[in-house]
Amino acid sequence: MSYTVEQLVAVNPYNPDILPDLENYVNEQVSSQTYSLNANLCLLRLYQFEPERMSTQIVARILIKALMAMPAPDFSLCLFLIPERVQMEEQFKTLIVLSHYLETARFRQFWDEAAKSRHILEVVPGFEQAIQAYAVHVLSLTYQKVPRSVLAEAINIEGLSLDKFLEHHVANSGWVTEKTQNKGQLIILPSTEFNHPELKKNTADGIPLEHITRILPILG
Amino acid sequence: MAGTTSYDTDQPASGDSSAAAAGYDPNYVPDSVKSFVVHMYRHIREKNVYEIFQMYETSFQSISDRLFKDSPWPSVDAVATYVDNDHVFCLLYREMWFRHLFARLSPTLKQRIDSWENYCSLFQVVLHGVVNMQLPNQWLWDMVDEFVYQFQSFCQYRAKMKNKTEQEIALLRQPDQAWNVYGVLNYLQALLEKSTIIQILEQEKEGLEQFTATDGYDYNGGSNVLKVLGYFSMIGLLRVHCLLGDYQTGLKCLRPIDITQQGVYTSVIGSHITTIYHYGFANLMMRRYVEAIREFNKILLYIFKTKQYHQKSPQYEQILKKNEQMYALLAVSLSLCPQVKLVEETVNSQLREKYGEKMLRMQRYDDEAFALYDELFSYACPKFITPSSPSYEEPLVNYNQDAYRLQLKLFLYEVKQQQLLSGVRTFLKVYSTISLGKLATYMEVDEPTLRTVLMTYKHKTHAVDSDGKITSNADLDFYISDDMIHVTESKPAKRYGDYFLRQIVKLEGIMTDIDRIKLE
């Protein structure tokens, strides 16, 4: 093939002939653990135009990949294009419930539900890690110091595996663990402007260069 | 192309109330129409944009009001002899003919199909570069706008399957059907590509080309038609994608236009409003509330200041309607993301007047609040469409509401996910620090639930774009350390820089004045 799929989409945004290429590309994204929202939206659009060509198996894969892209709103962007009667199918109902738990940060319910739906999710490698990364993202926005138990629940890892997970992040992501006397371990998450508001740069008062140039003749 | 208008042989659609056919002779050309086409034709040949605009905007309306209030204009065949049977002029005349028909009467299926074919012929002529005209931006905008409108209207019409006659269904089932979604998108895309407008806008940034500076007109003897149609096609694509629920792709189509600046899109009020309405709506659906609020605020202020100049325009009613809809969308955005300081005083007082009381009730997140979100969304949303043909084998049912219901449902789903956030916000506003336990008691939830609510607040107020950049939409922010919540309210940043710049310029002006006095 002389074109990449991304190029195909760019050149033929409204061409039904590329539908099979886009379906193959979804499977490729699954097996190679890559992701292209743009190509997937293009495919959902073609399905929307010709519903009789829709493959629900492919749609399910797109939606699982979109969940893995949290915190980006990709899952909603995909749902906007999928007809309601298709969304009524059991597997899609499950995915919508999972998305709801993630959107409202109810990680315990999420992992319980995900365990029950393994048959749907296990076709997509990297799912758990992607959700864990999202959980860490939300925790990092919210906490300066997070209790170990809260972290454990959010990422669904406990005991020795959690120790290993922490070790890894202490070594690579600047996490620090802290022992407290009565409440067990606390994890100090890296500072960002979102959990340390004082770090927020006051960009609002910057003056663009073009504005300065307007008064240069005066200043000179 | 020979004019093949055949409205006289058409049966009006069932339930069609217009008495158009009665007493209407398509071959009778009143003197005022004769004079209209003769002058219009001459002005187009002479590239007199000013006169074309006057006739298009004023004369066409006044003749329509006087003679064609509830009947179509004379057929193209009847007027062709007065304009040398000019092919392109006849296409333009028919474009206006159909637009007038759609605005004032109920088009039949045959007429919808004829209008589609007329657009195809017109765009083909433009795409093959054989036009040498200079047309007013208003007219070129109206072409793209009407093209998308008629597509939307066709989809709505087709989706109402229940009371179709057998003839209509037979016509709809024809293979190369009119107003096919691929056809519509590909025409807009073709105009966009063939015009090379994206490259032109790029080159303009480097000073190699002029487009915005001349409002898209060509003062070197060329034609503006393809370029400007290509430009407006970007806005047409934004609108079509919004109608389909594809907000991400819609915004992508608009990206070559910098909406923080004036541009050709602001040279026509209709295009300006359509652009911002859909831009804001798409951002609202993608949870980028601050962006939606900022742009709604700007355009609402602009309409407030300028609407008096449009009172006589044929678009005036449309302007007022979109104005009201955008206030509703602003009310929704602000209820989900209370960033009132982004809203200018005039806009804010209008908003309070229209929606103040509803906005208070929307904060409560009870059933009544949801009903209000539903009401405002339904009033202000675009007319969503289902682009595919129905299955004619299954029993015929109406599906014209399906697309709208899906978008509404997903939107209300989002509102529901945010329902506890306004409560937590109210408490955080009055504390600088508070323990999780205490806040949980106040909110009557347990501590783990409170933690999820606080994380939801963070997630929903922090948008992440495709390159991983996080933008905060929160005016009230907090962080948790162990089990203490620390609240910070972002103070509105004072714009000292701008203030000083303005004062420096002012002072310089005064000093120049004083110098001048001394010299006299």
Side-chain angles (χ1 to χ4, degrees):
Chain A
M1 197 164 53
S2 51
Y3 287 105
T4 68
V5 180
E6 300 289 339
Q7 284 168 323
L8 267 184
V9 174
V11 181
N12 307 277
Y14 315 114
N15 182 351
D17 298 342
I18 67 169
L19 190 139
D21 294 303
L22 289 171
E23 289 184 330
N24 290 333
Y25 193 47
V26 171
N27 291 326
E28 193 187 314
Q29 291 171 49
V30 168
S31 57
S32 65
Q33 302 205 29
T34 54
Y35 182 57
S36 168
L37 172 66
N38 197 19
N40 296 351
L41 285 179
C42 183
L43 178 57
L44 290 176
R45 180 161 70 224
L46 298 178
Y47 284 157
Q48 192 189 22
F49 297 170
E50 297 174 84
E52 63 283 1
R53 294 177 76 182
M54 177 186 285
S55 149
T56 49
Q57 189 208 26
I58 294 285
V59 173
R61 290 178 178 198
I62 291 177
L63 285 176
I64 295 170
K65 282 300 234 180
L67 273 187
M68 292 163 65
M70 295 275 294
D74 299 12
F75 190 83
S76 311
L77 297 183
C78 294
L79 279 193
F80 287 138
L81 299 177
I82 300 170
E84 201 172 0
R85 63 185 158 69
V86 178
Q87 294 187 20
M88 293 310 210
E89 276 182 36
E90 220 37 63
Q91 56 173 342
F92 298 123
K93 276 199 207 155
T94 305
L95 291 174
I96 290 169
V97 167
L98 288 174
S99 143
H100 183 66
Y101 288 146
L102 289 179
E103 286 286 342
T104 50
R106 281 185 265 176
F107 292 108
R108 178 192 296 253
Q109 282 105 317
F110 170 83
W111 291 112
D112 287 350
E113 188 65 34
K116 279 185 251 163
S117 321
R118 193 160 295 152
H119 58 288
I120 305 173
L121 302 168
E122 67 191 356
V123 283
V124 183
F127 182 75
E128 283 188 10
Q129 291 86 326
I131 303 302
Q132 283 159 352
Y134 163 67
V136 167
H137 159 83
V138 180
L139 289 171
S140 308
L141 290 180
T142 315
Y143 290 91
Q144 285 184 358
K145 295 182 185 180
V146 59
R148 181 182 165 109
S149 59
V150 172
L151 173 70
E153 185 182 292
I155 59 176
N156 200 33
I157 303 181
E158 293 177 316
L160 282 176
S161 319
L162 182 55
D163 289 338
K164 263 199 148 152
F165 184 88
L166 286 172
E167 240 169 68
H168 176 81
H169 280 279
V170 167
N172 297 296
S173 328
W175 294 17
V176 177
T177 55
E178 185 182 274
K179 274 260 174 284
T180 60
Q181 303 217 310
N182 41 9
K183 282 179 294 189
Q185 207 176 20
L186 277 179
I187 293 99
I188 305 172
L189 295 167
S191 310
T192 64
E193 60 175 288
F194 307 108
N195 62 15
H196 282 256
E198 72 277 6
L199 292 177
K200 199 182 226 158
K201 279 184 223 85
N202 203 347
T203 47
D205 207 24
I207 305 170
L209 186 63
E210 302 93 83
H211 292 184
I212 299 284
T213 53
R214 258 190 272 148
I215 61 159
L216 277 183
I218 301 174
L219 296 175
Chain B
M1 189 191 80
T4 50
T5 337
S6 49
Y7 34 79
D8 45 341
T9 59
D10 274 336
Q11 296 299 313
S14 50
D16 185 343
S17 57
S18 83
Y24 165 64
D25 176 5
N27 296 316
Y28 171 66
V29 183
D31 284 345
S32 51
V33 173
K34 200 187 297 175
S35 150
F36 175 82
V37 293
V38 166
H39 283 97
M40 184 67 116
Y41 179 53
R42 198 178 77 211
H43 295 316
I44 288 177
R45 270 187 321 178
E46 291 171 357
K47 294 193 181 174
N48 189 336
V49 179
Y50 178 80
E51 287 297 337
I52 301 171
F53 180 72
Q54 293 307 317
M55 298 203 65
Y56 175 80
E57 190 74 353
T58 313
S59 315
F60 189 76
Q61 289 312 318
S62 61
I63 298 175
S64 295
D65 285 342
R66 246 178 331 117
L67 301 175
F68 308 109
K69 244 187 156 56
D70 44 21
S71 72
W73 275 57
S75 78
V76 69
D77 294 338
V79 302
T81 50
Y82 304 109
V83 294
D84 306 338
N85 287 303
D86 184 89
H87 177 56
V88 175
F89 184 88
C90 288
L91 293 175
L92 291 172
Y93 178 83
R94 284 193 97 204
E95 200 269 334
M96 292 171 77
W97 190 95
F98 281 115
R99 185 134 39 89
H100 168 261
L101 178 91
F102 269 78
R104 299 192 183 224
L105 308 161
S106 310
T108 64
L109 176 55
K110 179 74 171 58
Q111 285 166 336
R112 289 175 189 272
I113 296 172
D114 287 344
S115 178
W116 161 255
E117 282 167 359
N118 192 60
Y119 273 114
C120 293
S121 311
L122 183 59
F123 290 155
Q124 294 287 356
V125 168
V126 173
L127 286 168
H128 292 113
V130 283
V131 294
N132 180 28
M133 305 174 290
Q134 188 99 278
L135 293 181
N137 285 350
Q138 176 73 53
W139 194 350
L140 295 170
W141 162 252
D142 287 344
M143 276 183 209
V144 173
D145 189 46
E146 181 71 12
F147 179 66
V148 175
Y149 166 74
Q150 289 191 17
F151 166 61
Q152 171 204 306
S153 163
F154 181 86
C155 289
Q156 298 286 355
Y157 161 86
R158 179 178 57 192
K160 288 179 200 150
M161 289 301 294
K162 266 192 178 155
N163 34 28
K164 292 269 181 291
T165 64
E166 272 177 37
Q167 277 162 310
E168 284 174 313
I169 287 171
L171 211 51
L172 280 172
R173 292 183 71 159
Q174 280 174 9
D176 63 341
Q177 44 159 309
W179 298 112
N180 177 298
V181 61
Y182 287 118
V184 170
L185 286 166
N186 280 317
Y187 267 116
L188 293 171
Q189 183 72 14
L191 289 167
L192 171 68
E193 283 172 12
K194 196 79 196 260
S195 67
T196 68
I197 186 66
I198 295 179
Q199 292 86 321
I200 292 175
L201 291 173
E202 275 304 311
Q203 294 208 316
E204 189 177 46
K205 278 189 212 149
E206 293 159 33
L208 300 169
E209 187 110 29
Q210 280 204 325
F211 181 75
T212 313
T214 61
D215 268 348
Y217 292 108
D218 189 319
Y219 294 113
N220 301 315
S223 163
N224 68 334
V225 174
L226 178 58
K227 267 193 282 187
V228 177
L229 280 179
Y231 180 91
F232 286 138
S233 290
M234 293 189 273
I235 302 165
L237 284 168
L238 165 68
R239 178 165 163 207
V240 174
H241 284 299
C242 282
L243 293 175
L244 295 168
D246 193 349
Y247 309 110
Q248 166 102 354
T249 310
L251 291 177
K252 211 168 122 204
C253 292
L254 190 69
R255 213 170 289 153
I257 301 179
D258 179 1
I259 58 156
T260 64
Q261 305 280 323
Q262 301 254 314
V264 173
Y265 77 101
T266 54
S267 69
V268 178
I269 179 87
S271 123
H272 192 178
I273 290 177
T274 301
T275 307
I276 301 302
Y277 167 78
H278 290 95
Y279 178 87
F281 186 80
N283 274 294
L284 168 63
M285 294 302 272
M286 294 176 75
R287 252 170 30 211
R288 300 189 197 141
Y289 305 116
V290 166
E291 194 57 28
I293 292 167
R294 192 178 294 136
E295 291 307 322
F296 284 140
N297 171 58
K298 272 202 300 203
I299 187 101
L300 288 169
L301 184 62
Y302 177 80
I303 297 174
F304 182 82
K305 285 182 176 164
T306 57
K307 70 175 173 212
Q308 66 204 66
Y309 306 115
H310 297 286
Q311 269 172 17
K312 288 198 183 117
S313 150
Q315 287 88 31
Y316 190 59
E317 252 172 63
Q318 194 55 30
I319 293 172
L320 292 186
K321 181 166 178 218
K322 277 279 168 286
N323 187 57
E324 293 305 310
Q325 287 183 321
M326 286 192 287
Y327 272 109
L329 292 176
L330 183 61
V332 168
S333 308
L334 283 170
S335 300
L336 291 169
C337 172
Q339 292 262 41
V340 185
K341 65 170 188 282
L342 292 173
V343 181
E344 200 274 341
E345 212 23 69
T346 328
V347 176
N348 198 27
S349 68
Q350 294 275 310
L351 180 72
R352 298 292 143 191
E353 204 175 288
K354 293 174 201 287
Y355 291 110
E357 191 247 347
K358 282 186 178 167
M359 285 173 76
L360 277 178
R361 285 191 281 153
M362 282 159 85
Q363 288 303 315
R364 289 211 298 264
Y365 286 87
D366 47 14
D367 284 345
E368 194 202 24
F370 285 116
L372 284 171
Y373 275 103
D374 183 328
E375 177 194 318
L376 264 60
F377 182 92
S378 303
Y379 165 69
C381 69
K383 293 240 178 308
F384 298 110
I385 50 172
T386 303
S388 54
S389 319
S391 156
Y392 297 100
E393 272 64 46
E394 285 163 32
L396 302 177
V397 288
N398 287 351
Y399 62 97
N400 55 315
Q401 295 277 310
D402 288 8
Y404 150 71
R405 271 199 296 263
L406 173 63
Q407 303 300 316
L408 173 66
K409 182 177 141 183
L410 293 173
F411 170 74
L412 289 178
Y413 213 65
E414 180 64 45
V415 173
K416 227 164 205 152
Q417 288 177 354
Q418 302 200 22
Q419 64 179 328
L420 292 172
L421 303 190
S422 121
V424 80
R425 210 175 163 280
T426 316
F427 283 109
L428 291 179
K429 249 188 129 78
V430 292
Y431 289 93
S432 57
T433 53
I434 181 172
S435 74
L436 280 166
K438 209 163 155 193
L439 182 56
T441 320
Y442 290 159
M443 289 190 63
E444 296 168 6
V445 293
D446 60 15
E447 213 180 292
T449 307
L450 177 62
R451 286 186 194 269
T452 66
V453 173
L454 291 168
M455 282 193 282
T456 307
Y457 182 92
K458 280 285 191 171
H459 167 56
K460 297 292 189 189
T461 53
H462 289 75
V464 179
D465 68 15
S466 47
D467 9 290
K469 197 173 149 279
I470 305 171
T471 335
S472 170
N473 285 327
D475 62 334
L476 186 76
D477 213 342
F478 68 89
Y479 61 88
I480 308 173
S481 186
D482 192 6
D483 51 15
M484 272 312 254
I485 308 167
H486 303 256
V487 185
T488 51
E489 190 157 2
S490 71
K491 297 266 177 311
K494 285 249 160 53
R495 290 215 155 237
Y496 295 114
D498 272 352
Y499 180 77
F500 277 116
L501 278 177
R502 271 202 305 275
Q503 295 304 319
I504 290 169
V505 175
K506 225 181 202 166
L507 177 66
E508 185 63 19
I510 292 172
M511 277 160 48
T512 321
D513 287 347
I514 292 173
D515 280 349
R516 208 174 288 143
I517 293 168
K518 260 196 285 179
L519 284 173
E520 272 168 11

